[in-house]
Amino acid sequence: MVLDSLISVFLVIAIGWALRQKALPAESDWQGFEKISYYVLVPILIAKTLMSAKLGDVPFARLGAALLGTIAILGIVLLVLRQPLERWLKVDPPAFTSIFQGVLRWNAFIALAISANLYGRDGVTLAAVAIAALIPVLNVATVMILRRYGSGGGSLMRGLATNPFILGTLGGLALNMLAIPLPRALSLSLDIIGQCALGTGLILVGAGLRLQDLQRPSPALLLAVGIRLLIAPAIAYGLARLLGLQGAQLAVVVLCLGVPTATASYLLARRMGGDAPLMAAITTAQTIVSMITLPLILAALT
């Protein structure tokens, strides 16, 4: 079941890549599609899931502690190793920002899709809680690192206040706590939109792959791939078990720290003076290698 769920997700990603190569090669062909997915489809899926979820059954504190604890450990280690990396691997400050993003950020599209395949609505709820815990913290951390070691730019608070995933999370939690019933027609329409979200998100992941960037893998690229796909989920597993998480909760924590980095990392690197070519290579390499690591990690650790 795990293998079938993962294969189905990566097949949709492959369709996105094929469409970009053969049918819709121009960047402009995808821009509107990307905005609809990012600003409408996925936020509505998150909001609708959280609105109807039995939040009393979700261990918010322990789930958040496992996720944020892993992020904190990885972030501190990377900052401690920044100067040694500069000396040993010739990693300049912009390249460090790409390693930082590549290790800490995660692709919520892939995590949501696999969680839904494995655990249905409960899996989507757990992944949505992970989004609520991780995205605000990671947005702040990565923007601060890019401001310090890239060229900076952009408003941190404005970026948080307008992030559609955060808005969808807050909206869903608010409706859940207020217990406001939606008209059946509106609820069904939101369900239809939510069903579109995962497929479109995965197609966009595939369309963003840039295989040409993998021709000369650098030590920085290999480091970002190894830490993200092997070390991060191992740390997450240890913390989750220590906090008493098990079953679907444990699997989703490991999954969220074992999926590749967010495709939006490349855009952020390009806009804020990071090493955009390295970021594109890290994103592509992690997405491809995770097709091998995710089944092994989920089989071994859960």
Side-chain angles (χ1 to χ4, degrees), residues 110-129:
I110 296 178
L112 277 166
I114 297 175
S115 298
N117 279 356
L118 290 175
Y119 303 109
R121 181 172 289 275
D122 289 342
V124 176
T125 300
L126 290 168
V129 171

PDB file of all heavy atoms in Angstrom, residues 110-129:
ATOM      1  N   ILE A 110       3.597  17.451  -2.048  1.00  0.00           N
ATOM      2  CA  ILE A 110       3.916  16.018  -2.029  1.00  0.00           C
ATOM      3  C   ILE A 110       3.502  15.395  -0.705  1.00  0.00           C
ATOM      4  O   ILE A 110       2.923  14.303  -0.666  1.00  0.00           O
ATOM      5  CB  ILE A 110       5.428  15.814  -2.289  1.00  0.00           C
ATOM      6  CG1 ILE A 110       5.800  16.298  -3.693  1.00  0.00           C
ATOM      7  CG2 ILE A 110       5.806  14.342  -2.124  1.00  0.00           C
ATOM      8  CD1 ILE A 110       7.274  16.194  -4.023  1.00  0.00           C
ATOM      9  N   ALA A 111       3.766  16.093   0.404  1.00  0.00           N
ATOM     10  CA  ALA A 111       3.400  15.557   1.719  1.00  0.00           C
ATOM     11  C   ALA A 111       1.886  15.378   1.846  1.00  0.00           C
ATOM     12  O   ALA A 111       1.407  14.360   2.365  1.00  0.00           O
ATOM     13  CB  ALA A 111       3.923  16.478   2.815  1.00  0.00           C
ATOM     14  N   LEU A 112       1.127  16.353   1.376  1.00  0.00           N
ATOM     15  CA  LEU A 112      -0.332  16.256   1.432  1.00  0.00           C
ATOM     16  C   LEU A 112      -0.843  15.085   0.600  1.00  0.00           C
ATOM     17  O   LEU A 112      -1.720  14.325   1.042  1.00  0.00           O
ATOM     18  CB  LEU A 112      -0.964  17.555   0.931  1.00  0.00           C
ATOM     19  CG  LEU A 112      -1.089  18.710   1.925  1.00  0.00           C
ATOM     20  CD1 LEU A 112      -1.408  20.006   1.184  1.00  0.00           C
ATOM     21  CD2 LEU A 112      -2.178  18.419   2.958  1.00  0.00           C
ATOM     22  N   ALA A 113      -0.300  14.947  -0.606  1.00  0.00           N
ATOM     23  CA  ALA A 113      -0.777  13.888  -1.503  1.00  0.00           C
ATOM     24  C   ALA A 113      -0.488  12.502  -0.942  1.00  0.00           C
ATOM     25  O   ALA A 113      -1.357  11.619  -0.951  1.00  0.00           O
ATOM     26  CB  ALA A 113      -0.129  14.053  -2.876  1.00  0.00           C
ATOM     27  N   ILE A 114       0.728  12.291  -0.439  1.00  0.00           N
ATOM     28  CA  ILE A 114       1.075  10.975   0.100  1.00  0.00           C
ATOM     29  C   ILE A 114       0.289  10.702   1.381  1.00  0.00           C
ATOM     30  O   ILE A 114      -0.201   9.585   1.598  1.00  0.00           O
ATOM     31  CB  ILE A 114       2.587  10.879   0.354  1.00  0.00           C
ATOM     32  CG1 ILE A 114       3.352  11.003  -0.969  1.00  0.00           C
ATOM     33  CG2 ILE A 114       2.929   9.544   1.022  1.00  0.00           C
ATOM     34  CD1 ILE A 114       4.859  11.034  -0.815  1.00  0.00           C
ATOM     35  N   SER A 115       0.135  11.722   2.233  1.00  0.00           N
ATOM     36  CA  SER A 115      -0.648  11.544   3.465  1.00  0.00           C
ATOM     37  C   SER A 115      -2.100  11.177   3.142  1.00  0.00           C
ATOM     38  O   SER A 115      -2.698  10.317   3.808  1.00  0.00           O
ATOM     39  CB  SER A 115      -0.611  12.830   4.292  1.00  0.00           C
ATOM     40  OG  SER A 115       0.706  13.145   4.689  1.00  0.00           O
ATOM     41  N   ALA A 116      -2.654  11.823   2.107  1.00  0.00           N
ATOM     42  CA  ALA A 116      -4.029  11.510   1.703  1.00  0.00           C
ATOM     43  C   ALA A 116      -4.132  10.090   1.176  1.00  0.00           C
ATOM     44  O   ALA A 116      -5.087   9.361   1.489  1.00  0.00           O
ATOM     45  CB  ALA A 116      -4.499  12.508   0.650  1.00  0.00           C
ATOM     46  N   ASN A 117      -3.163   9.674   0.367  1.00  0.00           N
ATOM     47  CA  ASN A 117      -3.177   8.311  -0.179  1.00  0.00           C
ATOM     48  C   ASN A 117      -3.075   7.255   0.915  1.00  0.00           C
ATOM     49  O   ASN A 117      -3.729   6.219   0.860  1.00  0.00           O
ATOM     50  CB  ASN A 117      -2.020   8.129  -1.166  1.00  0.00           C
ATOM     51  CG  ASN A 117      -2.340   8.687  -2.544  1.00  0.00           C
ATOM     52  OD1 ASN A 117      -3.453   9.140  -2.795  1.00  0.00           O
ATOM     53  ND2 ASN A 117      -1.363   8.677  -3.426  1.00  0.00           N
ATOM     54  N   LEU A 118      -2.234   7.529   1.914  1.00  0.00           N
ATOM     55  CA  LEU A 118      -1.984   6.527   2.952  1.00  0.00           C
ATOM     56  C   LEU A 118      -3.066   6.502   4.025  1.00  0.00           C
ATOM     57  O   LEU A 118      -3.465   5.430   4.489  1.00  0.00           O
ATOM     58  CB  LEU A 118      -0.627   6.789   3.609  1.00  0.00           C
ATOM     59  CG  LEU A 118       0.621   6.515   2.765  1.00  0.00           C
ATOM     60  CD1 LEU A 118       1.872   6.934   3.525  1.00  0.00           C
ATOM     61  CD2 LEU A 118       0.696   5.034   2.400  1.00  0.00           C
ATOM     62  N   TYR A 119      -3.547   7.679   4.429  1.00  0.00           N
ATOM     63  CA  TYR A 119      -4.414   7.748   5.608  1.00  0.00           C
ATOM     64  C   TYR A 119      -5.720   8.505   5.377  1.00  0.00           C
ATOM     65  O   TYR A 119      -6.437   8.798   6.333  1.00  0.00           O
ATOM     66  CB  TYR A 119      -3.645   8.394   6.775  1.00  0.00           C
ATOM     67  CG  TYR A 119      -2.372   7.654   7.106  1.00  0.00           C
ATOM     68  CD1 TYR A 119      -1.127   8.212   6.804  1.00  0.00           C
ATOM     69  CD2 TYR A 119      -2.408   6.401   7.685  1.00  0.00           C
ATOM     70  CE1 TYR A 119       0.049   7.537   7.095  1.00  0.00           C
ATOM     71  CE2 TYR A 119      -1.241   5.710   7.977  1.00  0.00           C
ATOM     72  CZ  TYR A 119      -0.022   6.283   7.675  1.00  0.00           C
ATOM     73  OH  TYR A 119       1.145   5.598   7.948  1.00  0.00           O
ATOM     74  N   GLY A 120      -6.029   8.846   4.129  1.00  0.00           N
ATOM     75  CA  GLY A 120      -7.293   9.496   3.828  1.00  0.00           C
ATOM     76  C   GLY A 120      -7.414  10.863   4.468  1.00  0.00           C
ATOM     77  O   GLY A 120      -6.451  11.610   4.588  1.00  0.00           O
ATOM     78  N   ARG A 121      -8.617  11.203   4.930  1.00  0.00           N
ATOM     79  CA  ARG A 121      -8.866  12.520   5.509  1.00  0.00           C
ATOM     80  C   ARG A 121      -8.031  12.753   6.762  1.00  0.00           C
ATOM     81  O   ARG A 121      -7.574  13.866   7.019  1.00  0.00           O
ATOM     82  CB  ARG A 121     -10.354  12.679   5.820  1.00  0.00           C
ATOM     83  CG  ARG A 121     -10.720  14.041   6.398  1.00  0.00           C
ATOM     84  CD  ARG A 121     -12.216  14.212   6.499  1.00  0.00           C
ATOM     85  NE  ARG A 121     -12.811  14.362   5.177  1.00  0.00           N
ATOM     86  CZ  ARG A 121     -12.901  15.522   4.522  1.00  0.00           C
ATOM     87  NH1 ARG A 121     -12.412  16.622   5.082  1.00  0.00           N
ATOM     88  NH2 ARG A 121     -13.470  15.580   3.353  1.00  0.00           N
ATOM     89  N   ASP A 122      -7.812  11.693   7.557  1.00  0.00           N
ATOM     90  CA  ASP A 122      -6.978  11.848   8.752  1.00  0.00           C
ATOM     91  C   ASP A 122      -5.548  12.247   8.373  1.00  0.00           C
ATOM     92  O   ASP A 122      -4.917  13.059   9.053  1.00  0.00           O
ATOM     93  CB  ASP A 122      -6.947  10.551   9.560  1.00  0.00           C
ATOM     94  CG  ASP A 122      -8.274  10.253  10.245  1.00  0.00           C
ATOM     95  OD1 ASP A 122      -9.091  11.195  10.377  1.00  0.00           O
ATOM     96  OD2 ASP A 122      -8.491   9.099  10.636  1.00  0.00           O
ATOM     97  N   GLY A 123      -5.061  11.674   7.282  1.00  0.00           N
ATOM     98  CA  GLY A 123      -3.719  12.023   6.829  1.00  0.00           C
ATOM     99  C   GLY A 123      -3.630  13.466   6.372  1.00  0.00           C
ATOM    100  O   GLY A 123      -2.649  14.165   6.669  1.00  0.00           O
ATOM    101  N   VAL A 124      -4.657  13.933   5.654  1.00  0.00           N
ATOM    102  CA  VAL A 124      -4.678  15.334   5.218  1.00  0.00           C
ATOM    103  C   VAL A 124      -4.749  16.260   6.429  1.00  0.00           C
ATOM    104  O   VAL A 124      -4.095  17.309   6.470  1.00  0.00           O
ATOM    105  CB  VAL A 124      -5.862  15.595   4.271  1.00  0.00           C
ATOM    106  CG1 VAL A 124      -5.936  17.068   3.894  1.00  0.00           C
ATOM    107  CG2 VAL A 124      -5.716  14.755   3.004  1.00  0.00           C
ATOM    108  N   THR A 125      -5.533  15.877   7.441  1.00  0.00           N
ATOM    109  CA  THR A 125      -5.628  16.693   8.655  1.00  0.00           C
ATOM    110  C   THR A 125      -4.270  16.817   9.335  1.00  0.00           C
ATOM    111  O   THR A 125      -3.844  17.917   9.726  1.00  0.00           O
ATOM    112  CB  THR A 125      -6.645  16.085   9.636  1.00  0.00           C
ATOM    113  OG1 THR A 125      -7.932  16.036   9.020  1.00  0.00           O
ATOM    114  CG2 THR A 125      -6.726  16.903  10.911  1.00  0.00           C
ATOM    115  N   LEU A 126      -3.568  15.710   9.480  1.00  0.00           N
ATOM    116  CA  LEU A 126      -2.250  15.739  10.117  1.00  0.00           C
ATOM    117  C   LEU A 126      -1.268  16.576   9.304  1.00  0.00           C
ATOM    118  O   LEU A 126      -0.471  17.343   9.866  1.00  0.00           O
ATOM    119  CB  LEU A 126      -1.723  14.311  10.288  1.00  0.00           C
ATOM    120  CG  LEU A 126      -2.449  13.444  11.322  1.00  0.00           C
ATOM    121  CD1 LEU A 126      -2.030  11.990  11.199  1.00  0.00           C
ATOM    122  CD2 LEU A 126      -2.193  13.958  12.731  1.00  0.00           C
ATOM    123  N   ALA A 127      -1.313  16.432   7.977  1.00  0.00           N
ATOM    124  CA  ALA A 127      -0.425  17.234   7.133  1.00  0.00           C
ATOM    125  C   ALA A 127      -0.778  18.713   7.222  1.00  0.00           C
ATOM    126  O   ALA A 127       0.109  19.574   7.195  1.00  0.00           O
ATOM    127  CB  ALA A 127      -0.505  16.757   5.678  1.00  0.00           C
ATOM    128  N   ALA A 128      -2.063  19.015   7.330  1.00  0.00           N
ATOM    129  CA  ALA A 128      -2.481  20.414   7.474  1.00  0.00           C
ATOM    130  C   ALA A 128      -1.997  21.001   8.791  1.00  0.00           C
ATOM    131  O   ALA A 128      -1.598  22.168   8.866  1.00  0.00           O
ATOM    132  CB  ALA A 128      -4.000  20.523   7.370  1.00  0.00           C
ATOM    133  N   VAL A 129      -2.019  20.202   9.850  1.00  0.00           N
ATOM    134  CA  VAL A 129      -1.481  20.656  11.135  1.00  0.00           C
ATOM    135  C   VAL A 129       0.021  20.906  11.008  1.00  0.00           C
ATOM    136  O   VAL A 129       0.553  21.875  11.574  1.00  0.00           O
ATOM    137  CB  VAL A 129      -1.775  19.614  12.238  1.00  0.00           C
ATOM    138  CG1 VAL A 129      -1.030  19.953  13.524  1.00  0.00           C
ATOM    139  CG2 VAL A 129      -3.273  19.528  12.506  1.00  0.00           C
TER     140      VAL A 129
END
